[in-house]
Amino acid sequence: MCGIIGVLSTKEAAAPRLLESLSRLEYRGYDSAGIATLSKGRLSRSRAAGKLDNLRRQLTDAPMPGSSGIGHTRWATHGRPTTTNAHPHQSGPVVLVHNGIIENFRDLRRDLEARGQVFETETDTETIVHLLADHLGAGKTPQQAVADTLDELDGAFALAILFEGHDDLMIGARRGSPLVIGVGEGEMFLGSDALAVAPFTHRVIYLEEGDWCELRTDGYQIHDQVGAVVDRPVSIVQGAGAAAEKGNYRHFMQKEICEQPETTARTIAAYVDALDQSVVLPGLAETQIDWTKVSQLHMVACGTAYYAACVAEYWFEQLAGIPVKTDIASEFRYRAPALPSSGGLSLFISQSGETADTLAALRYCKAAGLKSVAVVNVATSSIAREVDLVLPTLAGPEIGVASTKAFTAQLCALAACAIAAAKARGRIDREREIALTEALSSLPRLFADTLALDQSVAGLARDLSRARDVIYLGRGLYYPIAMEGALKLKEISYIHAEGYASGELKHGPIALIDEATPVVFVAPDDALFEKSLSNLEEVVARGGKVLLVSDASGLSKAGDAPTHTIQMPACDPFVAPILYALPIQLIAYHTAVEKGTDVDQPRNLAKSVTVE
Ligand code: G6P
């Protein structure tokens, strides 16, 4: 979850370089931030609770010397988000930053305390730094101290470590959490991803599970988990360098919502041959994935990506006739699910490609012999590198913590994948393929048209922002959209919201209906609309205030039953759920703006969840 950067250089600019990198890593957490630098063999530290700006101000007032250093943005797991608990952590001559969780930290802490060690923080990380100092105190070299400490740790970690008196040495280690080496000219870097080192170099080495490395300004050595010296390939990562800018937008989330005509177009273009009006999954031919032999599709994801899977479940079942099981990754991985010995295919959806539970689920499926596909937005991510087939979403960097353009890009890629599967299985003919690709290709224009609703949605948000609870209802493909709508609202406005299947209304949520609890119905005039309309009437009959999101014909059928309406353009039913994601994003965005919350960095959340 946390962001890590390490710079080993002779240029006297460690602190500003660390800050630059940390500003790109805030998506991993923003509870606190800190840096440590090494200057003429001496360590110094600066840490601040809260957003990175607090640390930046602190460093303007009290600049830190040094050409090398380590930095960290934190998403608190063990210990409150205070300055004391902020990384880097130091014990005598050693200082380090950590991403991950040390599972046996209580035992380690008890042992260390029994030996007289005094702990300053509530973190699991502090045990690592004391263990290292202990080994150094016993006369070991930094390398021996690291190797012995790693042997004592259980759990997941990525570490960057500096040692007093060793100006030309930085050590990194990874187990469970990703870590990359950045190879510069006469300088070296460590980062929790390629984005972290992108301002300094495009040459990146992805450390493998269990690796640790020694960096010097003029080179590096990598050891695998048994300590053997190993070679790892250098990759050239382009395009990770450009820091995202808000431009004229007030928030990244607003900008990302407005980018969707372009991001859906880019993603669709990756899978739809516009001339031929056919769907192609690039790379499929090399994977031995044969849709005709798939008897069970397991889709696994977290958060918003999970709701994309829930929508895609309908497409794979209805269009391609494939039985589907859709799971939340944190549940899937520990349920020890029975997987088919043949005919099983696994599909993972992740914006970051680093979500710890999704990655673990992927490894579980691979170990069971299933082929794997991933829909990911970060092409260099761990999930992208470990699957058999990557279906990239071309949404570009998503900075707002609440996912918007990545979600609709995931839906576009999944829709294309379902068409490809249906075609391969002989479930759709050429005419239907053309109709479906036409529907997909119309989406970017429809997104642009729907964005024109922005100001009218902003007007509706004023009422919503006063609510304590909001209920979202939808049927069929709109049930996951309702759940995503509720998630978006609670994430950024802190208003309690629940997404329900409209048909479940009578089985509980109807008890919550009163004048003060708005109900958002997401229901175009499709085959299930009459049923949704009955549910809507049931709410109105109980004094509930309804906001109906539907098309012209749906709104006309609903008459004056809804208190408020959002009129969507008419749209092919196949792609309509993708388009209906837009008004629910706008509702959440404007409600949060109305409430004055921190839209791009809502409290307690992080963009990328790399701990379980
Ligand atoms: C976090 C983010 C969500 C995201 C989820 C899954 O909770 O705040 O926006 O949907 O992780 O992330 P992934 O990167 O795997 O899509």
Side-chain angles (χ1 to χ4, degrees):
M1 290 297 283
C2 309
I4 288 180
I5 175 67
V7 174
L8 189 69
S9 176
T10 49
K11 288 184 197 155
E12 186 57 36
R17 295 177 99 189
L18 293 168
L19 276 179
E20 170 164 16
S21 177
L22 290 180
S23 67
R24 290 156 191 261
L25 288 173
E26 266 197 302
Y27 77 92
R28 288 176 160 262
Y30 38 77
D31 290 339
S32 63
I35 65 168
T37 57
L38 191 52
S39 181
K40 302 194 177 70
R42 299 203 45 187
L43 289 170
S44 31
R45 267 195 305 171
S46 181
R47 300 174 296 160
K51 301 276 169 69
L52 185 60
D53 272 345
N54 297 348
L55 176 68
R56 195 174 277 122
R57 272 193 293 275
Q58 203 163 289
L59 287 167
T60 309
D61 295 345
M64 278 166 64
S67 53
S68 300
I70 52 178
H72 190 268
T73 52
R74 178 166 188 246
W75 186 83
T77 58
H78 294 54
R80 288 160 299 141
T82 58
T83 302
T84 311
N85 286 334
H87 298 221
H89 291 291
Q90 184 168 0
S91 178
V94 53
V95 68
L96 62 78
V97 287
H98 167 219
N99 171 31
I101 292 175
I102 303 303
E103 287 172 10
N104 60 338
F105 86 97
R106 284 182 198 82
D107 294 343
L108 293 171
R109 185 171 175 139
R110 207 175 304 119
D111 289 353
L112 284 158
E113 282 175 336
R115 283 187 268 141
Q117 186 64 58
V118 176
F119 276 72
E120 286 173 2
T121 79
E122 303 155 332
T123 67
D124 52 335
T125 306
E126 196 182 347
T127 54
I128 316 174
V129 78
H130 289 316
L131 285 173
L132 283 165
D134 234 31
H135 288 303
L136 290 172
K140 295 179 187 170
T141 64
Q143 290 82 347
Q144 286 166 338
V146 168
D148 291 349
T149 300
L150 296 183
D151 284 345
E152 293 167 280
L153 302 179
D154 290 337
F157 51 81
L159 301 169
I161 315 165
L162 288 174
F163 302 86
E164 203 147 62
H166 296 265
D167 271 2
D168 195 22
L169 176 67
M170 179 160 63
I171 295 187
R174 77 153 279 185
R175 193 191 298 163
S177 305
L179 189 68
V180 305
I181 299 177
V183 183
E185 297 293 332
E187 50 184 7
M188 298 291 291
F189 308 91
L190 282 173
S192 37
D193 56 25
L195 202 64
V197 300
F200 319 122
T201 179
H202 295 306
R203 299 173 66 213
V204 158
I205 298 167
Y206 293 96
L207 290 178
E208 290 187 11
E209 194 54 14
D211 284 355
W212 64 276
C213 61
E214 305 171 50
L215 308 185
R216 303 192 180 278
T217 47
D218 61 356
Y220 59 90
Q221 192 164 57
I222 303 173
H223 306 259
D224 68 8
Q225 49 197 337
V226 293
V229 174
V230 284
D231 257 348
R232 302 283 182 225
V234 178
S235 311
I236 307 296
V237 177
Q238 298 289 3
E245 302 286 347
K246 270 203 288 261
N248 293 331
Y249 293 95
R250 186 164 166 198
H251 298 103
F252 276 109
M253 182 180 179
Q254 183 190 28
K255 173 172 176 262
E256 287 157 5
I257 289 173
C258 293
E259 279 172 354
Q260 289 175 106
E262 201 185 309
T263 52
T264 51
R266 264 206 309 266
T267 304
I268 292 163
Y271 303 105
V272 173
D273 180 333
L275 219 54
D276 191 41
Q277 293 190 293
S278 62
V279 165
V280 188
L281 300 183
L284 179 73
E286 293 89 65
T287 61
Q288 293 161 9
I289 293 171
D290 180 350
W291 290 113
T292 64
K293 301 215 165 67
V294 176
S295 54
Q296 177 81 59
L297 178 66
H298 286 272
M299 278 196 284
V300 187
C302 297
T304 290
Y306 169 69
Y307 295 135
C310 294
V311 173
E313 178 177 332
Y314 288 82
W315 291 329
F316 281 108
E317 290 199 336
Q318 292 174 358
L319 209 59
I322 302 176
V324 179
K325 264 205 86 9
T326 302
D327 272 284
I328 292 167
S330 54
E331 288 297 312
F332 178 86
R333 62 180 291 197
Y334 291 118
R335 203 177 69 225
L339 297 175
S341 53
S342 68
L345 178 68
S346 54
L347 199 166
F348 304 88
I349 303 150
S350 175
Q351 188 284 127
S352 62
E354 300 292 353
T355 302
D357 285 318
T358 311
L359 185 57
L362 161 63
R363 291 177 178 159
Y364 179 86
C365 289
K366 282 181 78 169
L370 264 65
K371 287 270 179 204
S372 53
V373 182
V375 172
V376 285
N377 199 38
V378 180
T380 51
S381 59
S382 303
I383 291 175
R385 283 180 290 115
E386 292 191 24
V387 285
D388 297 303
L389 177 65
V390 183
L391 301 179
T393 48
L394 304 178
E398 192 179 62
I399 307 299
V401 163
S403 187
T404 52
K405 62 176 181 172
F407 177 62
T408 50
Q410 285 160 355
L411 290 174
C412 290
L414 289 163
C417 188
I419 300 173
K423 183 163 89 167
R425 293 163 72 88
R427 300 270 307 196
I428 55 168
D429 58 14
R430 179 77 187 114
E431 204 182 322
R432 182 88 173 111
E433 183 186 11
I434 292 173
L436 292 170
T437 55
E438 262 173 14
L440 266 179
S441 304
S442 69
L443 258 182
R445 174 184 50 79
L446 289 165
F447 266 95
D449 293 350
T450 309
L451 278 170
L453 296 173
D454 185 59
Q455 279 316 299
S456 55
V457 176
L460 298 175
R462 245 159 264 143
D463 267 4
L464 281 176
S465 68
R466 289 191 278 271
R468 207 190 58 178
D469 310 281
V470 178
I471 296 173
Y472 283 72
L473 295 174
R475 271 179 189 269
L477 288 148
Y478 301 90
Y479 168 36
I481 298 297
M483 291 194 286
E484 169 61 5
L487 175 65
K488 251 350 31 115
L489 189 74
K490 59 189 148 196
E491 274 182 314
I492 59 170
S493 74
Y494 315 147
I495 295 174
H496 170 246
E498 295 297 337
Y500 264 95
S502 306
E504 276 290 289
L505 183 68
K506 297 185 198 58
H507 300 289
I510 201 162
L512 299 173
I513 302 297
D514 61 20
E515 279 213 347
T517 308
V519 178
V520 180
F521 264 93
V522 190
D525 186 8
D526 60 9
L528 299 174
F529 187 69
E530 300 300 332
K531 299 190 186 305
S532 301
L533 211 49
S534 308
N535 300 136
L536 192 154
E537 295 290 355
E538 287 155 14
V539 171
V540 174
R542 284 156 183 85
K545 296 255 169 57
V546 169
L547 163 57
L548 175 61
V549 186
S550 187
D551 45 25
S553 96
L555 294 185
S556 119
K557 285 181 186 169
D560 57 9
T563 316
H564 298 292
T565 57
I566 294 177
Q567 183 173 328
M568 296 291 287
C571 176
D572 187 289
F574 175 57
V575 293
I578 312 181
L579 187 66
Y580 276 66
L582 177 53
I584 58 118
Q585 294 167 352
L586 289 173
I587 290 170
Y589 173 73
H590 286 295
T591 306
V593 169
E594 205 47 57
K595 287 202 72 177
T597 51
D598 189 340
V599 171
D600 285 332
Q601 295 187 331
R603 69 183 178 206
N604 305 340
L605 298 178
K607 184 78 187 148
S608 180
V609 181
T610 58
V611 292
E612 58 176 283

